[in-house]
Amino acid sequence: MSAPERIPPRSVTPLDLLTEGELTVRGRIREASNAALFCTVVHEGQEASCVYKPIAGERPLWDFPDGTLAEREVAAYAVSETTGWGLVPPTVLRDGPYGEGMCQLWIDVVPGAELLSLVDREEPEAGWKAIGFAEVGEGRTALLVHADDERLRRLAVLDAVINNADRKGGHLLPAAEERLYGIDHGVTFNVENKLRTLLWGWAGEALTGEAVEALKGLKEALGPDGTLTATLTSLITAAEIDATRARVEAMLTSGIHPEPSGEWPAIPWPPV
């Protein structure tokens, strides 16, 4: 009799860990405006750190329905994955010690990556893009700039698609292997234009070829029978999905990065 075939152990992915693992709260992230808990998650002998934001800890907002921020964070991850750029850490919706909420893989930041700066100049130097002038005290102003970095440029496209109303500097996480992640996507996908970001340096400039291809992929995935539509249907409203389609189509039609509308503050406060 031949020996039974051995089945290799299943590889545990970050999504497996976040979805199926045992979640243990280790502390609270006090800088967050909503309840954000630092946790560990363990599954099949593997462990990772993560952020858990229970829906019960969400602060009500006047322009977003109550109890919807966690779903919007998961929706932002789904859009990011569809682009192929991997700009948002793995993110799931799951039950936890304080009820259902968003659970996102913790990203260890690599120090030393300079993405934002204040300079005493009228125009940015080579390798930098102007955001605008900021008051720095005693009646003085300085030019706020961000790096002319392809990773930031991809994130600017993603933010325009998901209508991110709060892209602060603190939401940019440089990571190992020259990766860059964006976090805190609770105020996204509004039907109204609410894009507020520090990444305006490419406003009005032509989209890159890879951005156009990513947008074409999103357009297809957002079709009536598209895979992204199926995912988003359980996370945001039909009107918000339609608005996302319209933003993708508008960018493909114009071929340029969006510019501030003038109907809404263009830069979040505080910016960092």
Side-chain angles (χ1 to χ4, degrees):
M1 178 181 296
S2 60
E5 182 180 356
R6 295 190 63 183
I7 300 175
R10 182 172 71 97
S11 176
V12 178
T13 69
L15 290 180
D16 292 332
L17 268 170
L18 295 173
T19 304
E20 304 173 28
E22 180 180 353
L23 193 64
T24 302
V25 176
R26 301 299 183 185
R28 180 167 184 174
I29 303 171
R30 298 191 178 278
E31 297 82 3
S33 55
N34 296 290
L37 304 173
F38 178 74
C39 303
T40 54
V41 62
V42 179
H43 181 60
E44 294 188 2
Q46 295 199 35
E47 179 176 341
S49 299
C50 61
V51 177
Y52 161 54
K53 297 181 181 179
I55 293 173
E58 293 181 4
R59 183 173 52 120
L61 300 172
W62 68 268
D63 51 350
F64 284 84
D66 292 351
T68 66
L69 305 191
E71 287 93 339
R72 296 174 193 278
E73 296 235 36
V74 179
Y77 169 70
V79 173
S80 168
E81 288 300 285
T82 303
T83 65
W85 288 334
L87 295 169
V88 179
T91 311
V92 303
L93 195 67
R94 62 162 291 169
D95 195 30
Y98 300 101
E100 189 176 46
M102 182 280 284
C103 192
Q104 185 175 82
L105 190 69
W106 179 267
I107 300 298
D108 289 319
V109 174
V110 174
E114 193 173 13
L115 300 174
L116 299 167
S117 184
L118 277 169
V119 295
D120 190 17
R121 301 172 57 92
E122 294 295 317
E123 298 289 339
E125 295 180 306
W128 294 88
K129 290 285 189 177
I131 303 168
F133 289 94
E135 294 185 8
V136 293
E138 299 180 355
R140 294 177 55 247
T141 61
L143 182 64
L144 182 61
V145 297
H146 66 68
D148 188 2
D149 186 309
E150 66 177 9
R151 300 169 302 172
L152 288 179
R153 191 164 191 171
R154 292 169 185 153
L155 198 55
V157 173
L158 176 67
D159 283 343
V161 169
I162 66 177
N163 198 16
N164 192 350
D166 195 32
R167 175 60 74 206
K168 293 183 172 75
H171 299 167
L172 305 173
L173 304 184
E177 300 178 354
E178 298 187 346
R179 294 291 301 272
L180 177 71
Y181 293 96
I183 59 169
D184 284 353
H185 298 109
V187 285
T188 50
F189 296 101
N190 202 298
V191 172
E192 299 179 6
N193 181 8
K194 291 185 177 292
L195 184 59
R196 292 197 306 173
T197 176
L198 288 177
L199 305 180
W200 287 116
W202 299 281
E205 293 188 15
L207 295 165
T208 63
E210 72 162 5
V212 171
E213 291 305 309
L215 290 167
K216 288 179 179 178
L218 285 173
K219 180 178 178 179
E220 180 178 355
L222 284 166
D225 300 317
T227 54
L228 184 55
T229 298
T231 299
L232 296 182
T233 296
S234 64
L235 299 169
I236 58 178
T237 67
E240 289 166 339
I241 295 173
D242 287 341
T244 304
R245 291 191 185 105
R247 289 189 294 270
V248 169
E249 187 64 47
M251 292 175 71
L252 283 171
T253 300
S254 70
I256 63 173
H257 286 266
E259 299 179 88
S261 67
E263 301 171 356
W264 181 257
I267 297 176
W269 186 262
V272 178

